[in-house]
Amino acid sequence: ELKVEQNPLFLSMQEGKNYTIYCNYSTTSDRLYWYRQDPGKSLESLFVLLSNGAVKQEGRLMASLDTKARLSTLHITAAVHDLSATYFCAVDNPMDSNYQLIWGAGTKLIIKP
Amino acid sequence: GAGVSQSPRYKVTKRGQDVALRCDPISGHVSLYWYRQALGQGPEFLTYFNYEAQQDKSGLPNDRFSAERPEGSISTLTIQRTEQRDSAMYRCASSLSPGETQYFGPGTRLLVL
């Protein structure tokens, strides 16, 4: 059974600091996604990572993928309050030709001024 | 065109009533997904369509739940004889083709009294 684990599940940090959210998955997968969800809002796609060593950056967020370690990281640089949200990673289920995504539990990130 | 839309945004119903939740995907998107999301958790897969064909309904909790997408565009998720445990946020997502990034709608908050 494919499992996706995120850690930490909750993170409170100060503005200006750097931090990393981790996403581990239990079997090989073709794609890994990062989504953001603001309280009471929908899920917004941030990144899709397709291959080993893939790195994508958008503003203060950078995502990377190590398929050998089955690990993705979401790195936050010089955090600002606007990045406060819950961040989810999700992977394709390789046993499922219907591209069903398996989701992590989410990391709730609070950035204090 | 516009993003994924869902209606109603909020639905309060009495136990035992039937409800129909509507999803209007992004124009031209082949794939459509239904999820259920509990507070503080990641989305839980319910069912998936390519065009009008329901490809996977393995996530539907029981036979009170059904979904259709008769013309390959708008989809309806129907819950018959609602129970209190059905209360949740129901989200729809669409993607241009299978396996591509999924774009989520705002969700329908269902409350069964």
Side-chain angles (χ1 to χ4, degrees), chain A residues 59-80:
Chain A
R60 300 174 187 274
L61 300 178
M62 183 175 71
S64 65
L65 179 62
D66 181 344
T67 58
K68 294 180 181 178
R70 298 174 188 163
L71 170 69
S72 179
T73 60
L74 181 66
H75 187 73
I76 303 149
T77 302
V80 293

Side-chain angles (χ1 to χ4, degrees), chain A residues 31 33 35 37-38 40-48 50 86 88 92 96-106, chain B residues 9 33 35 37 40-45 48 50 55-56 58-59 89 91-92 98-107:
Chain A
R31 293 179 175 86
Y33 302 84
Y35 282 84
Q37 185 173 37
D38 292 293
K41 302 295 184 182
S42 189
L43 294 107
E44 174 191 354
S45 175
L46 294 175
F47 303 108
V48 54
L50 302 177
T86 298
F88 290 95
D92 278 349
D96 183 351
S97 60
N98 292 320
Y99 304 100
Q100 181 185 147
L101 293 181
I102 307 299
W103 294 79
Chain B
R9 294 292 306 277
Y33 308 79
Y35 293 90
Q37 187 177 21
Q41 297 184 19
E44 173 195 11
F45 172 82
Y48 157 64
N50 271 343
Q55 302 288 340
D56 185 352
S58 63
M89 175 69 81
R91 296 198 187 276
C92 172
E100 298 297 319
T101 298
Q102 296 179 26
Y103 296 90
F104 282 79

